[in-house]
Amino acid sequence: MRWELDPNPSPGKVALTYGLFLALTLLALGVLFWAYGVSPLKAYGLLLSPLGDSLGLAEVARRTIPLLLIGSGLALAFRVGFFNIGAEGQLLMGAVGAAYVALFLPSGPWTLVLMFLVGGGLGAFWVGMAAWLRVRFGASEILTTLMQNYLAYYLVVYLVAGPWKGQFVFGFLYTDRFPQEAQLPRLGDTLVHWPTLLLGVLGAVVLHLLLFRTPLGFEWRVLGENPQAARYLGLKGGQLLLLAGALSGLLSGFAGVGEVAGIHLRLLEPAQISLGYGFTAILAAWLARGRPLLVLLTAPLLGLILAGGDALKLSLSMPFRVVDVVAGLLLLALIGAEAASRHRLVWRR
């Protein structure tokens, strides 16, 4: 008896596996809620409550935007074989670029476009350094991009606590408010900055078409699936990796621009800019199986988990860490189901 890879699992097997893992997770969560003194059914209802009204759907959409932008870029990078773990830092660099344009350059109708260009460019440059180290010296991009997250974090802290701190800010670490020309429009009274949402949908579609409908995409897929075959065919693997990494950093930078220009309207401490979107988006990309278009499904799913966790905090006054356990178990179930569905148990002597 042994586990073997199942390269083509049937839809029925995939559905059964996901259903089983989700049932086990709901059982574990029920025990957790019961131990905390909360009715499991009530807690389950709150987790899904964002789907029941327009305000809740807006909260899901707000969290989906950065996950969609980052996740589609990471899906491409992972498919090519470039394991970018630094999207959180690239998001922060995008926020820095947007804040610089908004605060220190003359405002006008061009401001928002320039914010996306500079913010996205900084995100691409940030990951480009790690990609260059991979191509030139063989350095692991997992380590370099992970370390870059901390560099970006403390750069933002230095800026908001030092040279960029607001002139009329007392006791808080953030910059002055962005001018009106540097603020993204929203849907009604919600925090959904719709231009960034459209940009995320467009980015996922364009990357999917590039990956599966162009000669460049064919080269990317060959490089990701068989690097030796790519060398045999004479493909320029270094350039392909650099381009894929830069595109993922570009979209992560766009996510940072959206957060500061669409929600906060200023540069603030890193933990307030991002709720760990750069790391959560890794799951969105991984669950999409290297297909950027599927991130249109996985990103809202993870956005629902994040929004439902907030509902638990507000309605049941549950501790912050308990909510993290809830989200973590749900995400772990998705990961386990994905892995189990792609394997099969073989009975052999």
Side-chain angles (χ1 to χ4, degrees):
M1 182 177 67
R2 62 181 180 180
W3 284 99
E4 289 185 353
L5 182 66
D6 186 359
N8 295 303
S10 66
K13 176 186 175 183
V14 173
L16 180 62
T17 305
Y18 272 82
L20 176 61
F21 270 79
L22 287 175
L24 292 174
T25 301
L26 290 176
L27 179 62
L29 287 176
V31 173
L32 174 66
F33 294 135
W34 176 80
Y36 189 74
V38 175
S39 168
L41 293 178
K42 181 179 180 180
Y44 295 150
L46 287 172
L47 277 175
L48 298 177
S49 62
L51 299 177
D53 57 74
S54 58
L55 180 60
L57 290 173
E59 286 300 301
V60 173
R62 176 170 77 91
R63 289 161 175 80
T64 297
I65 293 172
L67 296 178
L68 177 57
L69 281 164
I70 301 171
S72 56
L74 292 182
L76 169 65
F78 294 167
R79 186 66 179 256
V80 177
F82 183 78
F83 299 100
N84 178 11
I85 312 297
E88 187 78 1
Q90 294 144 33
L91 179 152
L92 293 176
M93 293 305 294
V96 169
Y100 175 79
V101 173
L103 296 172
F104 302 108
L105 296 183
S107 299
W110 59 83
T111 298
L112 282 173
V113 175
L114 190 57
M115 288 170 71
F116 275 102
L117 289 176
V118 174
L122 270 180
F125 170 76
W126 199 244
V127 71
M129 292 190 292
W132 180 79
L133 289 173
R134 156 79 183 272
V135 173
R136 182 67 178 81
F137 301 105
S140 171
E141 71 276 13
I142 296 176
L143 294 177
T144 52
T145 55
L146 184 61
M147 292 300 101
Q148 283 182 316
N149 289 331
Y150 297 98
L151 294 175
Y153 181 97
Y154 288 109
L155 173 62
V156 174
V157 171
Y158 164 73
L159 291 174
V160 297
W164 290 10
K165 186 177 181 180
Q167 297 181 2
F168 305 102
V169 173
F170 303 99
F172 298 95
L173 299 181
Y174 50 74
T175 66
D176 290 327
R177 188 180 177 91
F178 292 174
Q180 187 65 40
E181 294 84 357
Q183 299 177 18
L184 285 167
R186 302 171 179 171
L187 289 177
D189 295 328
T190 71
L191 294 176
V192 180
H193 35 107
W194 60 266
T196 323
L197 177 60
L198 292 180
L199 187 62
V201 174
L202 180 63
V205 172
V206 169
L207 289 185
H208 193 86
L209 292 176
L210 275 177
L211 189 58
F212 293 102
R213 294 290 186 271
T214 67
L216 173 63
F218 173 75
E219 295 180 0
W220 270 335
R221 284 182 283 126
V222 170
L223 178 63
E225 295 172 10
N226 196 330
Q228 292 183 345
R231 285 194 295 270
Y232 179 79
L233 292 173
L235 301 182
K236 298 179 180 179
Q239 293 182 11
L240 293 172
L241 280 176
L242 283 169
L243 180 57
L247 286 174
S248 67
L250 178 76
L251 292 178
S252 298
F254 285 168
V257 176
E259 291 304 296
V260 294
I263 296 178
H264 306 292
L265 309 182
R266 53 168 51 94
L267 185 69
L268 359 78
E269 293 181 273
Q272 295 179 273
I273 297 174
S274 172
L275 303 176
Y277 293 130
F279 297 109
T280 306
I282 293 174
L283 295 173
W286 190 76
L287 291 171
R289 299 185 179 184
R291 295 177 176 270
L293 199 61
L294 288 183
V295 181
L296 292 172
L297 299 177
T298 60
L301 174 62
L302 296 175
L304 173 61
I305 292 175
L306 294 178
D310 281 349
L312 287 175
K313 296 178 194 176
L314 296 174
S315 300
L316 302 179
S317 299
M318 297 185 73
F320 177 77
R321 295 304 174 189
V322 173
V323 176
D324 279 351
V325 171
V326 173
L329 283 174
L330 290 172
L331 297 177
L332 185 61
L334 296 175
I335 295 173
E338 169 68 11
S341 65
R342 302 183 69 177
H343 290 78
R344 58 191 173 190
L345 187 62
V346 178
W347 296 85
R348 291 179 182 173
R349 289 187 175 182

